[in-house]
Amino acid sequence: MPKIVDREEYRKMLLTQSFELFAQKGYEAITMREIASALGVTTGTLYHYFPNKKALFEQLVELLCEWDIELYSSSLDAESSIESRIAKAFELVEQNEDFYLKILFVIVDFYRQQRNEGVTDNRFLEALAARWQAECAELTGIHDTQLVTFLMCFLNGLLVERLFEGDKVSYREQSELFRSMFLDRLKVTQANL
């Protein structure tokens, strides 16, 4: 009797396993053949699911965004205030720092490679980023896109700063500082509506 394979689950498994490879080697340094070998599949199998490395990467980033949104949304209470939702975002980044650093490394390396090839934009990733930002706005309850962007920039910058300074930079202290600044700005924004 033939083995029944859930194609979507298998595709997600391939993506999940390739995440570590991209994080370790970088987008530019790894080939489809190396990915297939590391995953224990043939290159034909890999190409059956992904027409090229870029498509594999784009689908991986989409899956990572889904994971991030699910991780955040499942951690929230239905009646959480904006302040507690911001605090939860900082907590999640702190608790999953390695995961978020890997995402940051993988995406930065991809964009570096694209720029080396003369590609200055990627419509798929731009659309995905816009969708992710809209999801974040909905989940945080912050509907000012500049404020949502500021939150994302701050968290990404915090990850990078911790690379340089390690535990000298405290998530808790930065969270408290950010929330006080952020809430002051949010009050001004809401008063102007």
Side-chain angles (χ1 to χ4, degrees):
M1 185 169 199
K3 184 178 172 183
I4 299 174
V5 176
D6 181 334
R7 291 178 46 80
E8 181 59 18
E9 286 303 311
Y10 190 69
R11 183 187 72 82
K12 285 183 179 180
M13 182 197 73
L14 294 172
L15 290 170
T16 300
Q17 292 175 355
S18 69
F19 177 47
E20 281 298 321
L21 297 170
F22 279 112
Q24 290 171 3
K25 291 193 168 218
Y27 178 82
E28 183 176 7
I30 197 162
T31 65
M32 289 290 274
R33 177 167 295 188
E34 290 171 319
I35 294 169
S37 177
L39 299 181
V41 300
T42 65
T43 53
T45 296
L46 204 56
Y47 280 112
H48 176 74
Y49 286 90
F50 314 102
N52 53 48
K53 182 171 71 168
K54 184 177 177 187
L56 187 156
F57 177 81
E58 287 176 346
Q59 290 179 44
L60 171 61
V61 173
E62 185 172 27
L63 183 62
L64 293 171
C65 286
E66 289 172 14
W67 286 350
D68 183 35
I69 295 298
E70 176 58 32
L71 183 65
Y72 184 61
S73 66
S74 67
S75 73
L76 297 174
D77 297 328
E79 297 177 22
S80 299
S81 66
I82 288 177
E83 184 175 359
S84 65
R85 289 171 182 257
I86 292 169
K88 184 54 76 174
F90 277 85
E91 285 174 30
L92 285 174
V93 172
E94 180 178 15
Q95 293 166 357
N96 300 285
E97 184 177 55
D98 187 58
F99 171 70
Y100 288 109
L101 278 172
K102 286 177 182 175
I103 292 173
L104 192 59
F105 294 155
V106 165
I107 291 174
V108 167
D109 188 59
F110 173 78
Y111 274 107
R112 186 181 56 80
Q113 166 67 20
Q114 295 296 291
R115 286 220 160 74
N116 287 346
E117 294 177 1
V119 179
T120 57
D121 63 350
N122 181 302
R123 303 245 186 263
F124 172 82
L125 291 178
E126 287 174 9
L128 183 61
R131 192 175 93 213
W132 183 77
Q133 187 175 31
E135 290 274 351
C136 288
E138 188 65 33
L139 289 170
T140 58
I142 303 165
H143 299 289
D144 180 327
T145 57
Q146 288 181 331
L147 291 177
V148 173
T149 300
F150 180 58
L151 173 60
M152 294 184 318
C153 289
F154 193 91
L155 286 169
N156 285 325
L158 182 55
L159 282 166
V160 172
E161 191 61 30
R162 283 186 50 84
L163 280 175
F164 298 130
E165 296 195 43
D167 290 337
K168 290 179 184 176
V169 178
S170 162
Y171 278 104
R172 189 156 286 118
E173 290 172 3
Q174 293 301 308
S175 174
E176 289 170 12
L177 177 62
F178 179 87
R179 283 186 305 181
S180 67
M181 292 172 17
F182 190 83
L183 291 171
D184 287 347
R185 167 61 193 242
L186 188 60
K187 287 175 190 171
V188 169
T189 301
Q190 290 175 336
N192 291 333
L193 293 179

